[in-house]
Amino acid sequence: MSNINWETICNVSDINKNTGVCALHNGEQVAIFKVGKEEQLFALQNYDPFGEANVLSRGLIGDVDGQLVLASPLYKQQFSLESGKCLEDDSVILKTYMVRQQDGLVQLQA
């Protein structure tokens, strides 16, 4: 089993439920979301390829046919929080990051 290194980003309590924050991770802007009663964490690139701006951390979280999605605050394209795949354009997939909660901290795979 490989040894995974994790980088602490913030406290879980720093992210309001069903919203996102932006963090700099390995030189990239990452949008981190805390979703639902279980406070499940998701991490995607913050760059919106349609609006060509780093704004996805300000997007709206929703549910489409049981799939958790993020709607861009610019042109409202919807992306799967799990896979990064755009629901309106299968050819567009956002980069996703391994994220976890450890002792009250949000951590991304280093």
Side-chain angles (χ1 to χ4, degrees):
M1 180 180 262
S2 65
N3 189 14
I4 296 176
N5 291 319
W6 295 91
E7 177 186 358
T8 297
I9 302 299
C10 63
N11 291 311
V12 173
S13 61
D14 292 337
I15 307 174
N16 291 326
K17 193 179 293 186
N18 298 319
T19 64
V21 297
C22 180
L24 191 61
H25 174 66
N26 293 334
E28 299 176 313
Q29 287 191 28
V30 179
I32 304 170
F33 300 91
K34 182 169 72 173
V35 181
K37 293 178 187 173
E38 301 83 24
E39 298 187 347
Q40 188 173 4
L41 296 172
F42 296 93
L44 305 164
Q45 72 186 46
N46 194 41
Y47 184 75
D48 178 347
F50 295 97
E52 299 182 352
N54 287 302
V55 295
L56 292 178
S57 63
R58 292 183 252 146
L60 298 173
I61 295 170
D63 181 305
V64 174
D65 298 327
Q67 177 177 209
L68 289 173
V69 297
L70 166 68
S72 169
L74 296 177
Y75 298 117
K76 310 303 183 235
Q77 283 85 3
Q78 297 174 62
F79 301 92
S80 166
L81 280 173
E82 289 187 13
S83 69
K85 188 174 183 179
C86 179
L87 275 59
E88 291 82 13
D89 185 342
D90 288 347
S91 70
V92 177
I93 301 174
L94 301 179
K95 183 175 180 179
T96 61
Y97 300 82
M98 287 185 62
V99 61
R100 72 176 184 179
Q101 176 178 285
Q102 183 72 29
D103 300 324
L105 301 173
V106 175
Q107 297 181 328
L108 293 175
Q109 182 178 353

